[in-house]
Every structure is written in C-alpha cells, then in structure tokens.
Amino acid sequence: MANIALHGNPVSTIGDLPQIGLSIREFALVNEKLEVKTLDDYDGMRKIISIFPSIDTGICAASARKFNEAAAGLENTVVINVSKDLPFALGRFCAAEGLNNVETLSDFRGTFGDDYGVTIADGPMKGLLSRAVIVTDENGKVVYTEQVPEIAHEPNYEAALNAVKFLST
C-alpha cells in the first residue's frame, strides 16, 4: 500500500506499483471507440504508462499534454494514459487538445487499478486511480516507476523520459 496525499491530507492506495525488473501484468482497457486494448496491442514497443485520477483536472490534463509533446520525439515508444474517466470524455479531451501522440484509455470497467496497485483506497477520491508513471522496455519489463506522493503534483517527466532514452542507448 502506498501512502500518498491529496492536498496534504493522507490517502492510500490498495497496493504498490509493479517492481522494477519484473514484467507488467496483462491489462484490458477501453479506448474512445469502446474497443478493448490489451498489452499485446503494444507488443515490441517501449511503454510509458501515465496513470491519473481524471482528465477533467488541471494537473491530469497538463500531464497528458506534456507526455503527448514528448512522445512525438520518441522512437518505438507509446505513451498510454490511463484513468477511470469514461472513454467518451477521454476522446473528447484528446480531440479538443489535438493530442494524437498518446493512447488514452479507460479503466472504467476493468481491474487495471487493482492489478497495478493504484486504486485509491480512501478519502474523497476513493475508487479513482492515483497519479503514477510506469516505464517498460519493449518486452514489458519495468525499468522505472513513480508513485507521485502528492496527487495534486505533476509526475517527474524528465525521469520517466530519461528511462526511455536510456533504453535506446
């Protein structure tokens, strides 16, 4: 269980992020067309999985924009944004913002949050996903994780992007 905060107030997650060096678990998430996307859809690609509570908050939106911008220059890498938002809301946001370098997927009917240890267990955002980043190599082996300690803060973009760049050297 990760101990994090929301505006300084303690909250926790139901578990911990996947361990560095281990492979990530399979997932089934839903895109804006209501198509199920699985880990196999990104086979052979490096993955930056950006997890957040809701695209309708300023920090989550900023995170999606920042990773979209960074993804344009990354070879063989996919950025996968994951939240509990409905797929329609995620699609509408990406269309309005012109975000076309990222995959934005919903866990609204899945177990991703529980499987990856990021479901918020208590507090006003109980049931949503915490803010976290997971980076994997082409085979799904975890090379970097960050459980952002304060939900209202942005992740360390530079560290996540450096983890991807390190894989290409």
Side-chain angles (χ1 to χ4, degrees), residues 61-126:
S63 176
R65 286 184 202 106
K66 180 73 173 187
F67 276 125
N68 179 71
E69 179 183 313
L74 299 173
E75 290 186 31
N76 196 36
T77 304
V78 62
V79 175
I80 304 168
N81 292 319
V82 181
S83 75
K84 287 275 191 179
D85 290 302
L86 290 177
F88 313 113
L90 293 168
R92 185 174 52 250
F93 175 83
C94 288
E97 294 286 327
L99 304 185
N100 50 17
N101 296 319
V102 296
E103 294 271 343
T104 304
L105 305 175
S106 175
D107 185 34
F108 84 106
R109 61 180 177 204
T111 60
F112 178 92
D114 293 350
D115 294 344
Y116 282 68
V118 294
T119 300
I120 298 172
D122 49 29
M125 296 181 86
K126 180 179 178 177

Side-chain angles (χ1 to χ4, degrees), residues 37 52 102 134 155 166:
K37 300 295 251 177
F52 49 80
V102 296
I134 301 167
F166 177 76

